[in-house]
Structure formats: C-alpha cells, structure tokens
C-alpha cells in the first residue's frame, strides 16, 4: 500500500484578494504534492482560508457587510486562485464551516481536560494585523510615538477577561523538540530563531477574547470566542475529520509537512506543538518556513501600489511560466524577488529556447524524416551511453533528491543542465546532416536516444510545469499512467511504444516566447 503523505499550506486571511505571496506558497505546496504523488505516495493536500478574528470582523464593518458575507465572497477568490494556478488540493478548508467549529471545540476540551486552561485577565499589546500578542519588551516606538510590533504593525493596549493556555508548562518539552529533532523546523535559521525565543522564557498565552464575537465559541464559556490562532491551527485536523476516528485521521495524522511563511513560524513551531502535546495528539513531522516574495526587492504594500494580482501574471505569461519562474528563481527558504522582466527573461531562455527548442527540433525531425514513425534505436555509441548515464543519474539522483529536500531551484538547475547536454548532443550529432549524408540508421538512433531523453525530462519537470509537460507527453504518445518516477525506471517503454505503431503528429510548441509589454509596470 502506498505510504501516506499529508501536506498543508497556511490558511490565508480572506480580508482582501490573494496576492503573489499567497500564490507562491500555494504553488510550492502543489509542486511538493505533485512530486510526492509521482514518487508513489498517497498524498493528501490541504489549503483553505482563516476566516475568524478581529481583522476579519473589522474589515467587514469597514465594508458595511456582515463577516460571513465577507468570508463567503472573499474565500471564493482564494479557491479561484488555486484553480487557476492548477493547485491540486484535495481539501479547501474554510474555518467558518460547522465541522471546523466542532473540531476546535474538541481540541479546546482536551486541553482543558489536561488542566492547561484557566480564566484570568489579559493586559498587554495586541496587533490586529498580525492577530498576535506581543511582550512589552518586543514593542517598539514608531513615527509619532505610535507603538509597533517587531513586524512593524500597529499594536494596541488590550485589557479583557481571557482564558489562558499554560504555555509555560511546555517550555522544556518544546526546547527538547526543537533541539533534538532538527527536522521538525526548517530551514535551520528559523530553528535557531525559535530556540532563542523559547529560551527567553514562555509566558502563558491568552487564548480567548470577549470584546467581539466573530470566532469559535469557547465551550461552556459562551461570552468568549477562541483566539483566532487556536482555531486556525486546528484546521489541519478538521480536514481529516477530527475528532471522529476517521480513516483519514488514522492515515494522514501527523502531517508530514506544514508549509508556511517565515512570519508565522512562532505559531506553528511553538504554540501548535504545545496545543497538540496538551491534547495528547502526535506532532507534525515538519514545519517549513519559506521566505517572502518581494517585488523588485521591495516589500509589497498597498501604499507602494506594487501589490500584484497573481491572476494578472497568469493572464500575461501563462500559468506554467509563473510556476517555473517562482520555483526556479528563488532559493526556497530565502526571500526572493520577482518582476515581469525577470519572468520573461528566465522563461524565454530556459523553457522556450532550451527545453522547448530541444523538443521542437527533435520531434519535427521525426515527423518530417520518418513520417512520424518512431525511430529505431540501433547500436549505441559511447557518446549515446554517456548522455543516457548522465540523464539517468540526474533523474534518479540529483533531481528527486533536491525536490524531496524542497530545494526546487537546485532541482531545476540540475534538470536544466541535462537539457543543455541534450541540446549539445543534437548539435554534435546533427541528425539533419546524417540524413543528407544518407546515414539513416545512425540518424534514427540519434533521434531515438533524444526522444527518450525528452520524455524523461518532461516527466521529471512535471511537478513544476504540469500542463506544459503533459501537453508534450501527450504529443509523444506517453500514456497518462506512465508519467511517474516508476516510469522513469522502466526500461521497456520505448520498445513497447514503438511496437504499438504510435505515430507522431506535426509537433506543436508548448513553450511560447513571452513578450514584455512596452510599458512594463511590474
Ligand atoms: N491566517 C494566517 C495563517 C494561519 S495558518 C494556520 C496568515 N494568513 S496570511 O494571509 O497573512 O498569510 C498566508 C500565508 O502567506 C502565510 O504563510 C504567509 O507567510 C504567506 N505570505 C504572505 N505574504 C507573503 C509574501 N509576500 N511572500 C511569501 N509568502 C507570504 O498568516
């Protein structure tokens, strides 16, 4: 039976339309999900929207709608974004769903049963933008004496009755988790940051609010709603059917990977494992805090007017160009920058001119010279074998290893170097010249070797650019069920495809050259 793999993204606040940062995370998670499926894993992929809390309530008031109207309208944009980006999620979990309320209340009851919740009064700083409490020592003074969180968001002094979670009890266990299980929080720099935060001392956490009611009601304490992060984190369980004893819970919990941005690592690597320990549930295997996407090196903000709708980029450049660019350009884990010029330059150089050109050259020669009949592979030369070995080594070693380690840019670089090797091989073997010289058998062998290389390259890059890779593989007659890692190891496929009598049609390019509009704003 296939080994399960459960991956989640953060659930976004739908208080505005999705931006490129949301698209980036969704794409990265999708690449991992598709890669793991290709590896034969039984993947469960969950994303969603985080719909409670003061931020959402305030936004609704500002717009003159009810919070639930706002959520219904805005969460649809996130669903549409995922669909447009070809994000292959299995579950889109909204936190306003009744079953999510039930799941959050059950987690609460279990934490209460463990003696970890008590009623007191909260007095301290709160940032609505971050939906986060801050210590007095973390608050800094901004322009005009305004108080700011370390993230630069305004904080307000808050005093209210609140339930508290005994986070301080978990200090030692959390430190042990982070120190002894280096894989739990990645990359390394984020781990060090969190270790320092815990070492600084953990105070009990305010986990309910009484000054507004847009949230999950606290069981038996109905003037309280849960602190939005308590219910938000629970979404990872809700989607599996918790608290029911579902087969999904048994199969997919604990999660293999929570993919999140670096700004919310504290919630996932400190609060979440503490809640789970308290409730007696197993901890996720890995939390990965990716970097931020910047626009031309600058933070995106409404005031700078550089917030880009990812769907506009898709409309301009195509979905696979955007996916390829984001995974190729940014070293995953670090911040990265994007611009329209960079997308055009990168995709034209690597997809259109290198891989696209390779496929187009080879397939059109097969189409023209052999009337679409697949070339026969005769005796291989040392050079042919060398190309095969190098490709094999990349497709079974460096590429999947880098993908499994979430080093997408490295995986693509390794893949690109094989594309270069194939293009060099075309140039040096010059099948068109072989034709002219009447060396038809050698021409067929060269084209056969290349056809096989192109198929393997297309399979390997499928998690990143699924639609284009599939368009190419469709033209090449590769069955849908033979596009995974196992298919790369199959030594008989070419003989089978040839024997099936498959004929190549006139090849159609799948990587159009991108143009930059004359007045490029972005
Ligand atoms: N609702 C919380 C997450 C709760 S998870 C239980 C939240 N929402 S968010 O809408 O602000 O962010 C959603 C995700 O997008 C987060 O992982 C965040 O780090 C990520 N990003 C937001 N802006 C980003 C960039 N500019 N670049 C990359 N990712 C960014 O936080």
């Amino acid at each position: 039976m296939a080994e399960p793999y459960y991956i989640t993204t953060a659930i976004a606040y739908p208080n505005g339309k999705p931006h490129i940062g949301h698209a980036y995370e969704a794409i990265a998670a999708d690449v991992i999900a598709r890669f793991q499926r290709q590896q034969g894993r039984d993947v469960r992929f969950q994303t969603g929207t985080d719909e409670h809390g003061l931020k959402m309530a305030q936004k609704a008031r500002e717009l003159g709608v009810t919070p639930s109207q706002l959520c219904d309208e805005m969460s649809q944009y996130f669903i549409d974004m995922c669909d447009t980006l070809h994000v292959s999620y299995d579950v889109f979990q909204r936190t306003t769903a009744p079953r999510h309320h039930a799941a959050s209340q059950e987690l609460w009851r279990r934490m209460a049963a463990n003696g970890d919740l008590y009623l007191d009064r909260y007095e301290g700083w709160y940032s609505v933008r971050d939906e986060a409490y801050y210590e007095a020592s973390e608050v800094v003074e901004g322009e005009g004496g305004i108080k700011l969180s370390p993230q630069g968001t305004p904080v307000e002094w808050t005093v209210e009755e609140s339930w508290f979670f005994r986070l301080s009890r978990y200090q030692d266990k959390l430190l042990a988790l982070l120190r002894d299980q280096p894989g739990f929080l990645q990359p390394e720099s984020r781990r060090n940051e969190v270790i320092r935060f815990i070492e600084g001392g953990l105070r009990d956490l305010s986990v309910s609010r009484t000054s507004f009611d847009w949230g999950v009601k606290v069981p038996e304490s109905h003037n309280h709603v849960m602190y939005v992060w308590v219910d938000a984190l629970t979404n990872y369980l809700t989607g599996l059917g918790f608290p029911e004893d579902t087969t999904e819970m048994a199969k997919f919990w604990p999660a293999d990977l929570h993919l999140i941005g670096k700004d919310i690592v504290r919630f996932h690597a400190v609060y979440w494992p503490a809640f789970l320990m308290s409730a007696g549930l197993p901890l996720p295997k890995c939390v990965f805090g990716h970097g931020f996407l910047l626009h031309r090196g600058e933070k995106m903000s409404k005031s700078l007017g550089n917030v880009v709708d990812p769907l506009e980029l898709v409309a301009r450049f195509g979905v696979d160009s955007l996916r390829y660019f984001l995974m190729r350009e940014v070293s995953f884990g670090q911040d990265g920058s994007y611009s329209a010029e960079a997308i055009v330059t990168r995709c034209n150089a690597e997809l259109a001119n290198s891989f696209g050109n390779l496929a187009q050259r080879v397939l059109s020669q097969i189409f023209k010279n052999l009337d679409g009949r697949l070339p026969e592979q005769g005796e291989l030369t040392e050079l042919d074998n060398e190309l095969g070995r190098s490709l094999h080594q990349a497709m079974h070693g460096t590429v999947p290893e880098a993908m499994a380690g979430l080093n997408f840019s490295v995986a693509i670089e390794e893949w690109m170097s094989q594309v270069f090797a194939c293009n060099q091989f075309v140039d040096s073997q010059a099948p068109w010249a072989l034709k002219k010289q009447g060396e038809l058998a050698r021409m067929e062998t060269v084209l056969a070797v290349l056809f096989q290389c192109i198929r393997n390259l297309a399979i390997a890059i499928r998690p990143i650019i699924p639609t284009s890779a599939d368009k190419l593989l469709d033209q090449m007659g590769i069955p849908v069920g033979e596009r995974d890692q196992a298919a790369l190891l199959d030594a008989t496929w070419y003989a089978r495809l040839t024997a099936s009598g498959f004929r190549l049609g006139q090849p159609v390019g799948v990587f159009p050259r991108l143009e930059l509009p004359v007045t490029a704003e972005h």
Side-chain angles (χ1 to χ4, degrees), residues 9-15 19-22 24-25 50 55 78 229 232-233 235-236 259-264 268 290-294 300:
T9 66
I11 49 171
Y13 297 119
N15 63 329
H19 56 64
I20 186 86
H22 297 123
Y24 177 60
E25 185 171 299
D50 185 358
K55 181 151 117 159
F78 285 82
W229 272 100
L233 289 160
N235 94 86
Y236 301 132
L259 188 69
I260 54 160
K262 64 177 184 180
D263 57 327
I264 54 171
H268 284 81
H290 62 73
F292 260 47
L293 205 58
L294 309 169
M300 287 175 287

Side-chain angles (χ1 to χ4, degrees), residues 145-160:
I146 199 170
K147 303 285 189 198
L148 297 175
S149 76
Q151 316 271 3
T153 58
V155 291
E156 55 198 45
W157 188 252
T158 307
V159 180
E160 65 190 35

Side-chain angles (χ1 to χ4, degrees), residues 33 65 70 97 100 131 134 136 181-182 188 194 207 222 233 239 269 326 333 394 400 406 412 438 478 509 520:
V65 296
L70 175 69
H100 176 70
E131 295 282 20
Y134 289 104
Q181 288 184 43
E188 190 67 13
V194 169
V207 285
H222 283 183
L233 289 160
L326 290 175
L406 313 189
I412 299 178
I478 307 301

Side-chain angles (χ1 to χ4, degrees), residues 125-127 129-130 132-135 138-141 146-155:
W125 296 104
Y126 192 77
S127 158
R129 282 254 293 277
D130 302 343
Y133 299 96
Y134 289 104
E135 298 289 331
E138 293 179 292
V139 170
V140 292
E141 204 147 298
I146 199 170
K147 303 285 189 198
L148 297 175
S149 76
Q151 316 271 3
T153 58
V155 291

